[in-house]
Amino acid sequence: MKPEPLTLPPSPNWYCARCSDAAPGGIFGFAARTSVFLVRVGPSAGANPGAPPFRVVGELVGHTERVSGFTFSHHPGQYNLCATSSDDGTVKIWDVETKAVVTEHSLHQHTISALHWSPTVKDLIVSGDEKGVVFCYWLNRNDSQHFFPEPRTIFCLTCSPHHEDFVAIGYKDGIVVIIDISKKGEVIHRLRGHDDEIHSIAWCPLSGEDCLPVNQEENSEEPDVPNGKLVAETPITKGCYLATGSKDQTIRIWSCSRGRGIMILKLPFLKRRGGGVDPAVKERLWLTLHWPNNQPTQLVSSCFGGELLLWDLTQSWRRKYTLFSTSAEGQNHSRIIFNLCPLKTEDGKQLLLSTSMDRDVKCWDMATLECCWTLPSLGGFAYSLAFSPVDVGCLAIGVGDGMIRVWNTLSIKNNYEVKSFWQGVKSKVTALCWHPNKEGCLAFGTDDGKVGLYDTCSNKPPQISSTYHKKTVYRLAWGPPVPPMSLGGEGDRPSLTLYSCGGEGIVLQHNPWKLSGEAFNINKLVKDTNSIRYKLPVHTEISWKGDGKVMALGNEDGSIEIFQVPNLKLLCTIQQHHKLVNAIVWHHEHGSRPELSCLIASGSNNAVIYVHNLRTVLESNPESPVTITEPFRTLSGHTAKVTSLAWSPHHDGRLVSACYDGTAQVWDALREEPLFNFRGHRGRLLCVAWSPVDPECIYSGADDFCVYRWLTSMQDHSRPPQGKKCIELEKKRLSQPKPKLKKKKKPTLQLPVKQESSIVTEDGSSRESSGPVENGVSDQDGEEEAQEPELPPSPVVSGEAVSCIAVSLGVEKSKVTINSKATSLKKEPSKEKPEALLKKRKARSMLPLSTSLDHRSKEELHRDCLVLATATHAKELNEDLSADLEERFHLGLFTDRATLYRMMETEGKGHLESGHPELFHQLMLWKGDLKGVLQAAAERGELTDSLVAVAPVAGYSVWLWAVEAFAKQLCFQDQYVKAASYLLSIHKVYEAVELLKSNHFYREAIAVAKARLRPEDPVLKDLYLSWGSILERDGHYAIAAKCYLGATSAYDAAKVLARKGDAASLRTAAELASIAGESELAASLALRCAQELLLVKNWVGAQEALGLHESLQGQRLVFCLLELLCRHLEEKQPPEVRSPSSIYHQWATGSEGDLVQRVTGVWRNTFSVDTPEQCRAALKKLQDVKYPSATSNTPFRQLLLHVCHDLTLAILSQQIASWEETIPALLQAILRSYTSGNFTLMQEIYSAFLPSGCDYLRDKLGELSLATAAFKSLEAFFIYGQLYEVWWSLCGPGPESSIWVKSTAEQRGPEDSASAEDTEPAAAAAQPRSSPPSGPCLRLSGESERLLSACRELFSERHASLQASQRTVAEVQETLAEMIRQHQKSQLCKATANGPSRDDPGQEAEQAPSQPQSPSKERNAPVSLPELTRRLTEANKKIAEFPESIKAWPFPDVLECCLVLLHIGSQCPGAVNPEMQQQAEDLLQKYGHTRAYRRHCQTLHT
């Protein structure tokens, strides 16, 4: 069984009474999120010599929600069994050796809060839940019982180690009960004394009550009356002590025989030790206990700030305790401790393991009370990994729990030497980057847009940049300063500045010398330097080349831009990805091939990784930007978005990628070959880093809260899992928290809309939404969890968990809505009549109070008349009369105006109290106080359209004020469009437009601005661009393109249309760009459209797309040739194999003449290319297009396109009689077929373009031509192919010997055929297709014999010597690289390697010798470094002596040809000239030193 990779695990779960435990023999487990991590402790852990003896050995995976309890079986013979409880409602029994579930039950109906495996009954597991229900489950008989001793929330429970039926239970309110499960859960004792939650219960390890002196406590504050009820019939025979720890800051020791407390220990307030936490964070106390087995008079407890105390119970009245770790400062936990569990190792050591809120697991030696070792853990996603270039081996980890970890991976004394940095962070750490030269200088970026610098060598708080990003910081990079920061003398500016890329799409340049100063947005410099008039793309990634001369920017639209310092001149744009770019990395510059430093790898939201070679662009330094649309290499295999990339610093062209498919993949980028696939994570990978010291070691981080250190050679898989049924991701989905709807009384109320929308965007389609959010299942991500929750045992669920609940409840909400609609439909007919009657009713009275007073009794009405007469005839009003008039206010209708106003005021108050403000307003209008009406209505938010309509009566200023007040009121009522209309009525156009824009009514805002503002007003363009950006982000590309067109930015419109990536969108974008005069963009889009149509073999559509732009005339010729060649190859296939979906042109269906004649005929008749000038123009355009060389993994359609490009160049050169250009182009097409391993295609090219051989070209070329060397290579490959045809014809079933294409097509097909000689030419040559027929009847035809005589051209002594020297150089370089790797491994003291021979640097040299020795001698004789150096020098010297004409063009493998010829001679004796046969044998004897050739030489000789 392979060892587990080194793991930095998730943090142990918080606020659980028992979520960690240890089994005798050295296995420790702790619950973390939805699983349990297992740690082997002791000598059997297999740790490095001198390192702490522990190792993470596995994980128990199966729960779907937070694990709330974990307990081992402590019975001999079943130490491998353990039990877990979870918020998913299940209790599972596990076998830790197989890591599989033995059995499980789901008996609880409520959240399980406590769990314990009985120490006396080997198959009894007891669990309790938040409602107070206790279940006893007997594993062997699969039986259970449940009890309900108290209707309270259970916090913890512990089974008695002395009596198999007794269980002590602690509750949230401080009550402790002891029940007897054999008597249906009868309460034996109810222990009262604590005032708050019971966190821990520990039984005394000794039965009886003789171990502690209790007489001192007889006069204690405990009452004489025992707590609880005494059950005299069932006394505990011998009694036992019980210790409980509570949130009330006390530890109480109880006597079970008397049912009362005998000792109280009050926790001391200690000065904080160990430092390291923010004092502003309020921590809640968690008081956990451990009663040591061999020390009954001592008790271990936690304390306020993470300290551990050892209490002396013999002197409790003096409160005597001993602090753990008094000698070493900083060894204590820095936060509260949740769990303590003892462990006895194989060598007899008594250890104590603790888990804490500080996210550390610590191991304590009980003999010395000192900390033995610490296992750090992660409380959030591992977002970023970065190795220090100065302090080699220091790995910085950016974590979602608001802390940075710096891991010294080279520490021999401790595999987990980790320092944490939290000051000034206070958010998820999403980006990290070390300074290239300054030790300990670490830049970090956070989820809230913060950028800062940490000095990891000191304890100082970080420097924080005063300029924040508006969204998440994606990437940080150190690079040379650019203007304006680069201006000034050398001493006035830093040599390197910090660049940060944020989620809002901009890149900021920060001055590390003055972070308090303003950071500069580089977009302005880019625009000014390159005179860009279109909208710059949204940046998502930045990467500087190692030499600091070139910067790459990745964008949201999938493009990558390459800029040159000092002014960020745009060199080229890579249009390859069509989705958001997540990662860009430049190849290192210290390999054996310096030219590889121009390789740049990139990954995006689509699953393909592209590698581009920018050497030509960087060396030529073009005046105008170049557009690159063809990759150097394509790495396909992932099935989700690629999040991170890293080149190996130890190899040339080796790359590792991290992906959302849950795996990390190692690639040989030069050969496009997947090598190793790591599947250890249970989530989406977010970051990856290659160890700078170990060539096999890679670190990866994911959203499973883990960082793994794994070795490439230990992986079982070579490529990523295919399809959507990836098991690891299925596990990830299963482990997400599920909502418990039964707990919600009203689940449909108050659903947060934002959280529902966050689920929609969590698919990762847009990086603009913040990075993945922690699900918070177990480890709450941040500091806020330290505050006291209402239900402490339940987790503080954040982010993802809440969102899941919102979504699932949304379904229920929709059901409720439907039901209510159905109900209302039934009731509607009954409501129609009352509504109709209401319309016919008389309008409400304006003066209802006065009217009602006029309908009183006759006596009252008479009294009104008298009062009214008195008032009208009295000269002065006395007090009595005034009182009468106030009481009878309705008489104001008949008296003076002042009384009338009082009546109106009273009536108005009545209207307001009865909820009719409009009537009150009308009364005020009757009084003529229009301004007062408006002010009162505005204050109460009761302005109406009618009130505002009459406002001009009170004056112009009052009307303006009223309209503005009404607009504000409408905004509060979310009626923004109506508010804007009112603002327009008072000519506040800009305010109306801004109001609509700020509330995302872009369509309405544009309509208003277009109608009311000048066409050249910048507000209108800003509206178009803002709306276009939002539409583009949401994927509405067509409407976004209209916006950009409205803003007169056709370039951006074409770019956004092309983002969809389908053929129709690309064609429309190309046409749009062409109309707008963006010729270069139109050409690139039209070519992309044609390539998309090429994938579905729509030849007609591809030609139409290319016809959109005149500059693509040359590409039309290439596609024409490609169509004819594909038709030609298809006709040679059996009818049942041909593709029916191809849409060919009419001119492609004819078959008159050979292929070249048909091609030139179509060019002439269809594309009007018949004059030399036209051919020369097309040739010049096509020569500017460069395609990378092919590999064995190049897709067949891509290979065909590149081959046809070369063939088009050859035919065009032939048409203008430029034979010196024809031959290299034709040879290039042959070489692409040869290096890709497609022998069929190579032979088809020869048969179509050189049907009668190469003599015709020789005559055209002349003797002194510069292309003579290319012609010799072309001729050699022609003979090489014919030689194989002859050999295979001898082994084939048919008598014909000259044509083998048909049989090959049947066996291998043109799309996937690969010649056997590509990877192991000698092996291919030694094994023909089938065994030759027996008998002496085999003869070669005359043509074949003539061919064999022409093979003399292949047996070139100079080429054989050159190839032998090149093989020697390659072998020596490989041997040296392996020696370096072995030396590095030996330096790292890898004790688990394959014995002492692993340290021998000559081991690889023994495996790959290059001296002409016998195999047995060579395998046993190690090669020294001086000897390898000598061989390399001699070989390079030999290569340098060869003329350039020999080295310029490839040549068939001479030794391979010798082997094939000798095989033919052995099958047809006498067919091969003896002189040629002897020459072949001599060449093999002289140059066949490698293992493959030597083996086949021996086969021939014997």
Side-chain angles (χ1 to χ4, degrees), residues 1347-1365:
L1347 173 70
L1348 289 182
S1349 63
C1351 286
R1352 197 179 300 274
E1353 297 288 334
L1354 293 176
F1355 302 150
S1356 167
E1357 176 86 20
R1358 291 197 298 175
H1359 283 99
S1361 176
L1362 174 63
Q1363 291 168 359
S1365 300

Side-chain angles (χ1 to χ4, degrees), residues 344-398:
K344 186 175 182 179
T345 61
E346 296 168 335
D347 53 359
K349 282 188 177 180
Q350 292 288 347
L351 304 176
L352 184 67
L353 293 130
S354 57
T355 63
S356 165
M357 187 184 273
D358 65 6
R359 307 191 188 279
D360 282 342
V361 176
K362 288 184 179 289
C363 177
W364 307 86
D365 188 340
M366 288 300 293
T368 63
L369 303 187
E370 296 296 333
C371 180
C372 307
W373 48 260
T374 300
L375 172 63
S377 64
L378 308 181
F381 295 0
Y383 284 106
S384 179
L385 296 173
F387 270 105
S388 170
V390 180
D391 190 0
V392 179
C394 263
L395 175 64
I397 308 169

Side-chain angles (χ1 to χ4, degrees), residues 63-192:
H63 285 294
T64 58
E65 291 192 41
R66 181 193 73 141
V67 176
S68 58
F70 175 71
T71 175
F72 269 107
S73 167
H74 289 261
H75 299 276
Q78 58 180 41
Y79 292 151
N80 59 311
L81 296 182
C82 63
T84 56
S85 63
S86 169
D87 291 350
D88 61 14
T90 63
V91 173
K92 296 181 186 285
I93 316 298
W94 305 78
D95 185 338
V96 296
E97 293 178 355
T98 62
K99 300 181 181 63
V101 177
V102 177
T103 185
E104 65 178 273
H105 74 75
S106 304
L107 301 171
H108 287 278
Q109 300 298 313
H110 305 284
T111 302
I112 305 169
S113 55
L115 178 74
H116 194 208
W117 196 306
S118 171
T120 54
V121 182
K122 66 187 301 182
D123 66 335
L124 172 61
I125 298 102
V126 183
S127 54
D129 61 34
E130 291 182 353
K131 294 298 181 181
V133 180
V134 177
F135 272 93
C136 296
Y137 178 74
W138 286 271
L139 173 64
N140 292 341
R141 62 176 190 257
N142 195 23
D143 188 17
S144 65
Q145 285 186 358
H146 73 277
F147 313 111
F148 189 53
E150 294 282 340
R152 311 170 192 272
T153 299
I154 295 176
F155 248 61
C156 57
L157 62 80
T158 306
C159 300
S160 170
H162 312 300
H163 197 299
E164 65 181 25
D165 295 325
F166 289 166
V167 180
I169 306 172
Y171 291 93
K172 182 181 179 182
D173 59 1
I175 297 295
V176 179
V177 302
I178 301 174
I179 65 170
D180 186 339
I181 61 176
S182 65
K183 298 180 179 179
K184 299 182 180 179
E186 181 180 350
V187 176
I188 304 300
H189 288 295
R190 185 173 285 105
L191 309 175
R192 300 181 185 274

Side-chain angles (χ1 to χ4, degrees), residues 1007-1021:
V1008 169
K1010 197 85 171 173
R1012 301 289 291 271
L1013 298 177
R1014 292 174 291 107
E1016 63 273 12
D1017 197 305
V1019 170
L1020 187 59
K1021 185 173 183 178

Side-chain angles (χ1 to χ4, degrees), residues 393-444:
C394 263
L395 175 64
I397 308 169
V399 190
D401 57 9
M403 289 196 282
I404 301 168
R405 273 65 166 194
V406 177
W407 184 2
N408 181 8
T409 61
L410 297 186
S411 174
I412 298 175
K413 294 183 179 180
N414 185 1
N415 289 335
Y416 290 97
E417 187 179 314
V418 176
K419 289 176 65 177
S420 296
F421 299 90
W422 54 268
Q423 287 181 315
V425 179
K426 298 179 182 177
S427 185
K428 301 170 186 175
V429 182
T430 53
L432 294 171
C433 188
W434 292 92
H435 194 286
N437 309 318
K438 189 177 178 182
E439 184 178 5
C441 183
L442 177 64
F444 68 91

Side-chain angles (χ1 to χ4, degrees), residues 1380-1397:
I1380 294 171
R1381 287 195 285 269
Q1382 296 295 338
H1383 177 69
Q1384 288 170 337
K1385 285 188 178 181
S1386 66
Q1387 293 298 313
L1388 290 171
C1389 302
K1390 294 213 168 190
T1392 56
N1394 302 329
S1397 63

